[in-house]
Amino acid sequence: VSGYLQSLFGDDVVDALLADRAHLQRMLDVEAALAEAQAAEGVIPAAAAPPIRAAATIAALDEAALAAGTARAGNPAIPLVEQLTAAVARTDPAAAAFVHWGATSQDIMDTAMVLAVQAAGTRILDRLDEAADGAARLAERYAGTPITGRTLLQSAAPVTFGLKAAGWLGGIERARDGLARALGDARVVQLGGAVGTLASLGEHGPAVLEEFATRLGLGVPDLPWHAARDRPAAVAAALGVVAGTLGKVARDVALLAQGEVAEVHEAVAPGRGRSSAMPNKRNPIGSAVAIAASLRVPGLVATVLAAMPQEHERGLGGWHAEWEVLPELLHLTAGSARAMAGVLGTLEVDAGRMQEAIGAGGGRIMAAAAAMALAPAVGRQAALEIVGRAVRRVDAGGTTLAAALRDDPEVTAHLAPADLEAALTPERDLGSASVLVARALARHEARRGARTAEAGTQTFVDRGVVTTPSGPEERRG
Amino acid sequence: VSGYLQSLFGDDVVDALLADRAHLQRMLDVEAALAEAQAAEGVIPAAAAPPIRAAATIAALDEAALAAGTARAGNPAIPLVEQLTAAVARTDPAAAAFVHWGATSQDIMDTAMVLAVQAAGTRILDRLDEAADGAARLAERYAGTPITGRTLLQSAAPVTFGLKAAGWLGGIERARDGLARALGDARVVQLGGAVGTLASLGEHGPAVLEEFATRLGLGVPDLPWHAARDRPAAVAAALGVVAGTLGKVARDVALLAQGEVAEVHEAVAPGRGRSSAMPNKRNPIGSAVAIAASLRVPGLVATVLAAMPQEHERGLGGWHAEWEVLPELLHLTAGSARAMAGVLGTLEVDAGRMQEAIGAGGGRIMAAAAAMALAPAVGRQAALEIVGRAVRRVDAGGTTLAAALRDDPEVTAHLAPADLEAALTPERDLGSASVLVARALARHEARRGARTAEAGTQTFVDRGVVTTPSGPEERRG
Amino acid sequence: VSGYLQSLFGDDVVDALLADRAHLQRMLDVEAALAEAQAAEGVIPAAAAPPIRAAATIAALDEAALAAGTARAGNPAIPLVEQLTAAVARTDPAAAAFVHWGATSQDIMDTAMVLAVQAAGTRILDRLDEAADGAARLAERYAGTPITGRTLLQSAAPVTFGLKAAGWLGGIERARDGLARALGDARVVQLGGAVGTLASLGEHGPAVLEEFATRLGLGVPDLPWHAARDRPAAVAAALGVVAGTLGKVARDVALLAQGEVAEVHEAVAPGRGRSSAMPNKRNPIGSAVAIAASLRVPGLVATVLAAMPQEHERGLGGWHAEWEVLPELLHLTAGSARAMAGVLGTLEVDAGRMQEAIGAGGGRIMAAAAAMALAPAVGRQAALEIVGRAVRRVDAGGTTLAAALRDDPEVTAHLAPADLEAALTPERDLGSASVLVARALARHEARRGARTAEAGTQTFVDRGVVTTPSGPEERRG
Amino acid sequence: VSGYLQSLFGDDVVDALLADRAHLQRMLDVEAALAEAQAAEGVIPAAAAPPIRAAATIAALDEAALAAGTARAGNPAIPLVEQLTAAVARTDPAAAAFVHWGATSQDIMDTAMVLAVQAAGTRILDRLDEAADGAARLAERYAGTPITGRTLLQSAAPVTFGLKAAGWLGGIERARDGLARALGDARVVQLGGAVGTLASLGEHGPAVLEEFATRLGLGVPDLPWHAARDRPAAVAAALGVVAGTLGKVARDVALLAQGEVAEVHEAVAPGRGRSSAMPNKRNPIGSAVAIAASLRVPGLVATVLAAMPQEHERGLGGWHAEWEVLPELLHLTAGSARAMAGVLGTLEVDAGRMQEAIGAGGGRIMAAAAAMALAPAVGRQAALEIVGRAVRRVDAGGTTLAAALRDDPEVTAHLAPADLEAALTPERDLGSASVLVARALARHEARRGARTAEAGTQTFVDRGVVTTPSGPEERRG
């Protein structure tokens, strides 16, 4: 909604792809591809396509008139087709007769939406790869660094910061894969004409459909899907999982950056995260962006799902509800991915504080380990009670868990001093943490290899836009 | 998000109030009012306020730098204060020291948000009054016009179109009242300083707060509410009830406008509701807008509610989630109210078709009335079965309900022919419809009187903006 | 959904009110009140009402048959009326003819829903009063206890724990008032017959409506509201604001109870908040319940809002969507209120830890105060930079904020040592905290007085149920 | 929430799988499998596993005590483990020491949740296959049956009812595939111990994890996923797409069943869809169920997404929010699938009414076809205007579109009478409808073949439950 907030909550590249002018150009590209496909299949005269392609440039449009026409007609395709027809007529009145031939507004708007989703979605996948790389570097570097494990917001038992980062890594990679899959499924054109029968194309319907799709680098759906919205809905849902996953990472970072914890901090940069009143503060801005996205995205996903029951051949209101919501989902998820790729890539980690915190609290954090050391002898529940008693003594003050346990004959009857000490050593209580981290990193490496191999082979996205000389330059980089 | 869709889904006046420049000016007005209040109470030098007020104009700001600064600092108030400070310093370096004195970013942003909500909300109330007036005119004009009553999307029994419109009227008025009340409750400034203690104002805190509120025409809250978001949440929720209520009206209109029903139509206007391919269509665009809003608003309300648990003195992410969502709620609800005020004010009603449809179906629609006429004699459930049998004969073809009932000795044993005929007359089956309509209209008239009486007395809204000579002209109209 | 989770997430009293048997009895009570009202107005024979009242007891119903009948008929009122009719017929066949006279299923179900909402809602109000009382006691007791103020999850500047609690208090009271108001607005019967015209009541419609409402202790609506759902929607929305407000309190408590902070703890009770594996943990269970509710309630509110556009005289699907969602909203909000009333009423507060934390960090927390002390001399932004420099020296280690500032000639040039020391004293940086707390407490006291005065005067809620001898005992307590 | 509504909104088989007793048994099965896996790997004594398996039966549990314990402890696993431990101790005190060894409550609850999701999800897939088969039969049978195509709730141009059904088919199949994929991805155990390190299993962690998964027929995740909720979130999202897709079918059916349209009806069955007051009504109950689900599911999906940012190693509140919401999502989606499988399998279709409706309206529905016939000669936009003029004459009354066009010299100048007549013949305006239907049916057949081939090979789901002699019988059917 707001221009001055766009860069904070979004990603500049994705926002450029979603900008009004870029999107209107995309609709024009779709009209041009349609004319070319129909000319190729003999549905319209061959001579009609070049003038339509030539006129299909945003520079020729009157955007204010378009906005007014949209409010009047009820969708932007109608005034856009009128303006395009008039532009073609100025150079070739005969060709003007064939603008938007056999199509309905929704054919153009949905296909342009697919192109936008693919273009923005691909960029989000890249940002998620960056974020995963950042998490992987943290997982590797801190694979052996103990940190307080925390459950239900209470200090619990030791983990490693590497394991924590590996958990972030796994979530990001899976969410990325889910999005990639949903994008792949949704990579199809929309073309059905007024009611989905391709009636105006006579027997050429399937051939035009094929040609139209090829020219845009998109796939051919079995059937028009004007009122069957599962594909965009599944993309929206996948974006929801991405935003939630990034929100989890952001929440962890923000909690670890609290003054009392201070185990990590978002990187310092000039002017970044300042307070307007408190020079002692360094606000975790990247996390704020991702947390805000994780709060806003679910409601938008719900909107797309709630809008799915669209009436008959093309719906009233449900389809309209998607127009701004899908771009907003892309915008917010892209912003979240951008923010967290930045946070993970530059996170400041204070391994010393982590170590220190584990030692604080009189060794309380080793209580579970102590109980498990006792359990084979006295049973798990009895062990929990014995150690619980010792913890209460620690809480009452003046002793440590180690001392309290050494004082307890129910403990010393079963555990030799050396075994007790071993049980109370955080570094020996990390279980399979390093194995689990290694496993996550191995999978990450395998994925990176696959990514490199496929790089440069993706030519399908927003090709109609990219091959148009009038396309905005930000989409060429 | 999109400029060319804004007029379709929104209301131009509300959108102007919510525009970037208008809102930045509002933040500047809040800074100016703060300085003046502090000068008045002796917290800052009296001479500091006038230069701050003078510099507090959007024309002096570099909006591109503001956007960049927002992305860096994490909120727009920080770069805005920097620019304002620099602007003041150019004319009065001493005064520049006192810009944003004792305030935190959220004080400015929340107070500006309150002003925007009040300004836009007041406009929405007006639009709802228009919509109510439209519904009232329909209720009055068609109080005696029978129409098929429909339940669970099935033809049921006769009602009047006036009663239907009175139902719309009642919903709109109650939703309006709920919004007015929530707006009233939320009409308070935000001022607490860094952590809500007004620490930098020494003992002058309460007095400055009072003065600040007076200057902005707003109320004084008991306490700062940086992380207690019930007031904006209640406004969001009230907007949700408004959008749902208008969505109900829109859905009814759209269903009545179906080709097979055709009892009402949205008014024709040049270019309005055309199809890009079908000259026979007249799309109910106003209803599409309101239905789309009724699908989008609930997710946004849920977002505001989900964002309420904001941490400690000022939250991370939850507050940020509100920034764009509250304006979007105002935009969409305003657009829905604008659209339905238009639809109701100009609705084309075909009373003939309504009458005709009641007669169609062999009188099936009178089945409930027939059963109730029989029920005193045979019991309600037996009567339902007898008439159900007759309905099945009508459905099998070749007879009417009247004939089928006249043929049935179980009917004729209990009902004289004249009584049966009376029971099958739609006009005699309207129960209390006219009384109910009259009651609704009487209440509407009483409310209109009250509205007229209070007109012109509302001076509280966005006064800080309105009294500022630099305010953008669209807010003056 | 799950029985063994009900007591964790709910409130036993409210859950008893919402239980199947209680609610079916409520529907029967509504049928009885309807018969009595119609008998009183001469619409049905006077002799018909007593047998209907007598038979209208849940003990007479076959609940399994009712469930099967509901799945078949599409709503529970139809099989319930059938069973009630059969039960009446066993004692008085003539009276059986008049069961459910002139009503539609939705009349019964909506009116019973209103009674349930009022009964449960009143209980939630009581729980919120308890929670408010708990917050008020904390605000009073700790009005002078400094605690670290935290913004954007960073340590910021001192506040008092009393002010924090006063903030909770204010939110709870306002959310409570909003709920009370929405409940008041929704306290009306539903009665319209098949299509809302009261057709079967002839000219007695309004009189029966009045009598029916009086007997149930409810109000009379202008019009039937079968498809105008603003009243229940506004109640749902108000419950959403309540759940969000309690979620904020819960989040604060959970954050303050973190191991590294440990400034408050939920009260210990046997078995409460244990871990299944870690004897050192004490999970903040009450807060978990309220946070979970604050996550679940927004989606349910959105559902109620999204379901508002119900078709024509009575809708298909939208109404059905409310049946389980409204009770779930009451259940979850009641559980949250119950949990937080408990948490606030018994919270363990460690004022020593609060004090200690303020002193930690080398006095960094006083940075804003130091800057404000310098600002009159050097300007606000310059002061922020000077103090920021000192903070960075503190962060680099080996010094305190006080020492760093005393070392800086730009500070000493403007601030005398005593003034600097004063500026760095947390107790002198609390601004208007105590005034604000006093204000909040005064308002709370006034409200308590009003509550006491009105106690016992509320006789309107679920009276139909309460006056029925067959009502389940849990509703009598 | 309510027992008597369960069969209406749910599916009895799925509801039995989700019932309290079945789910508690599932948790016990998980505990038993854990003990066996640990015994097999030498982590606990081999002799400990059989008594644990033997005692792990719901019949041995005190469910009331469990509910009370859940409210106290904060989750059901804690009292369940206590009861299980006591039960084992009664026969083998030594074995009792090893109950729940090395596990945390969430390990048990999440793994049981996975089993429940898989069992219920598989059933939903089956129901969707049934629904798809029903849609396919309709598509095949009515491939050549013209019906009014409707867009934006207006009559538009002819389609076939077969194409409409093929559109339903495609949506259902794609939504089913998305759910199958999400279920496949989520088919992994949860096992990490207190903080996800498998600390209590020493070096045996990975081997126990493998063995545990094998015994339950589930996969092994890279890492514990206690606070990485993408897998259940993706299942929830896929259920959302399913519910939305079914909602679209239901809305179409309900609209086609309106009295004025009456082109299809839900099948009649005794007592099904009756009104409590109107014998002429036949309510589309199946559609009501699916529409209600499509309104309720999005809010629940949003809840699961909003709950994703769970703190650190195991979260507070977010995880708790899932416990009842995931089962509710399965319940509602299963109910919707059950209802629509029934509706589609038995739909009554009135091809005569469909044909009739196309002819009604003076041939208005052929306007787009007429315009396209004219367009090659005069241009698309001019053709739309010429035909629009004729449509307005039809609307004014007394003529048909054919006559109006034959009267217009701008038409006759370009179109021979035979060409005009051809253009106005609905059967010649169906474009590629039959090709598209054939394509959809071919894909459906291919899928059916694949389904048959894989039938009987799925042994992975809820095996822990199925292999337990104590499993409730409804899960065996």
Side-chain angles (χ1 to χ4, degrees), chain A residues 87-426:
Chain A
V88 174
R90 283 194 288 273
T91 64
D92 188 336
F98 297 99
V99 169
H100 194 65
W101 189 263
T104 189
S105 296
Q106 193 169 355
D107 290 332
I108 307 308
M109 290 175 63
D110 273 353
T111 302
M113 179 271 281
V114 168
L115 290 170
V117 165
Q118 296 296 328
T122 301
R123 176 69 191 171
I124 295 173
L125 296 179
D126 291 345
R127 286 296 199 188
L128 292 171
D129 285 335
E130 285 176 49
D133 290 346
R137 280 193 301 271
L138 293 171
E140 190 169 15
R141 186 170 315 159
Y142 299 101
T145 304
I147 185 175
T148 305
R150 298 166 175 102
T151 61
L152 290 92
L153 279 177
Q154 293 286 296
S155 300
V159 296
T160 62
F161 184 56
L163 182 61
K164 211 171 173 90
W168 299 340
L169 171 63
I172 293 169
E173 288 186 335
R174 288 188 303 272
R176 185 216 176 274
D177 286 353
L179 175 58
R181 227 154 48 177
L183 287 171
D185 290 349
R187 200 173 290 135
V188 294
V189 290
Q190 177 70 284
L191 187 64
V195 289
T197 57
L198 292 163
S200 308
L201 307 185
E203 76 269 46
H204 302 291
V208 168
L209 184 56
E210 193 80 41
E211 182 67 24
F212 177 57
T214 301
R215 281 171 187 273
L216 292 167
L218 298 173
V220 174
D222 263 28
L223 293 165
W225 46 280
H226 294 123
R229 311 306 288 179
D230 52 281
R231 291 183 187 92
V235 171
L239 291 168
V241 175
V242 168
T245 297
L246 295 171
K248 185 268 183 293
V249 180
R251 188 170 294 278
D252 281 0
V253 168
L255 289 171
L256 293 173
Q258 291 173 103
E260 298 83 358
V261 183
E263 295 176 348
V264 308
H265 282 105
E266 291 194 13
V268 174
R272 184 165 177 82
R274 278 168 308 160
S275 156
S276 76
M278 291 175 283
N280 54 322
K281 284 193 62 193
R282 219 165 92 195
N283 293 324
I285 293 308
S287 298
V289 166
I291 293 171
S294 76
L295 285 162
R296 292 175 63 182
V297 161
L300 298 174
V301 173
T303 297
V304 174
L305 295 176
M308 287 183 73
Q310 298 182 11
E311 298 89 356
H312 294 310
E313 278 54 69
R314 293 192 286 110
L316 184 82
W319 175 46
H320 303 75
E322 294 175 9
W323 299 353
E324 295 189 307
V325 172
L326 286 171
E328 195 166 352
L329 276 166
L330 294 164
H331 162 68
L332 291 172
T333 310
S336 177
R338 190 257 317 143
M340 293 316 293
V343 167
L344 288 169
T346 62
L347 195 71
E348 297 175 10
V349 178
D350 190 336
R353 288 278 302 191
M354 292 176 182
Q355 185 72 54
E356 224 174 281
I358 286 196
R364 284 174 102 267
I365 201 172
M366 299 309 299
M372 286 307 280
L374 260 178
V378 304
R380 216 181 61 86
Q381 297 218 341
L384 290 173
E385 277 153 36
I386 292 167
V387 178
R389 212 160 57 205
V391 167
R392 284 191 293 279
R393 287 189 50 207
V394 176
D395 290 348
T399 189
T400 64
L401 185 65
L405 291 172
R406 275 194 306 261
D407 280 0
D408 186 334
E410 281 200 73
V411 174
T412 50
H414 300 290
L415 273 185
D419 290 343
L420 180 59
E421 195 187 323
L424 294 172
T425 305

Side-chain angles (χ1 to χ4, degrees), chain A residues 150-151 154 257 260 281, chain C residues 150-151 154 257 260 281 380:
Chain A
R150 298 166 175 102
T151 61
Q154 293 286 296
E260 298 83 358
K281 284 193 62 193
Chain C
R150 296 163 177 105
T151 61
Q154 293 286 295
E260 298 84 356
K281 284 191 64 193
R380 218 182 59 88

Side-chain angles (χ1 to χ4, degrees), chain D residues 235-449:
Chain D
V235 171
L239 291 168
V241 175
V242 168
T245 296
L246 295 170
K248 185 269 184 294
V249 180
R251 188 171 292 277
D252 280 0
V253 168
L255 290 171
L256 292 173
Q258 291 172 102
E260 298 83 358
V261 182
E263 295 176 348
V264 309
H265 281 105
E266 291 194 12
V268 174
R272 185 166 174 79
R274 278 167 309 160
S275 157
S276 77
M278 290 174 284
N280 54 321
K281 283 193 63 193
R282 220 166 92 196
N283 292 324
I285 292 308
S287 298
V289 166
I291 293 172
S294 75
L295 284 162
R296 292 176 62 183
V297 162
L300 299 174
V301 173
T303 297
V304 174
L305 295 176
M308 288 184 72
Q310 297 181 12
E311 298 88 357
H312 294 310
E313 278 55 69
R314 293 194 286 110
L316 183 84
W319 175 46
H320 303 76
E322 293 174 10
W323 300 353
E324 295 188 307
V325 172
L326 286 171
E328 196 166 353
L329 276 167
L330 293 164
H331 162 69
L332 291 173
T333 310
S336 177
R338 190 256 318 142
M340 293 316 294
V343 167
L344 287 169
T346 62
L347 195 71
E348 297 175 10
V349 177
D350 190 336
R353 288 277 302 190
M354 291 176 183
Q355 184 72 53
E356 224 175 279
I358 285 197
R364 282 173 103 269
I365 202 174
M366 299 310 297
M372 286 308 279
L374 261 179
V378 305
R380 219 182 58 88
Q381 297 220 341
L384 291 173
E385 276 151 36
I386 291 167
V387 177
R389 212 158 56 204
V391 167
R392 283 191 293 279
R393 287 187 52 206
V394 176
D395 291 348
T399 190
T400 65
L401 185 64
L405 291 172
R406 274 193 306 261
D407 281 1
D408 186 334
E410 280 200 72
V411 175
T412 50
H414 301 291
L415 272 184
D419 291 342
L420 180 59
E421 195 186 322
L424 294 172
T425 304
E427 287 72 17
R428 298 180 66 165
D429 190 38
L430 295 169
S432 303
S434 64
V435 177
L436 295 169
V437 171
R439 200 187 276 186
L441 286 172
R443 202 179 62 163
H444 176 66
E445 276 313 306
R447 290 170 52 93
R448 272 175 68 92

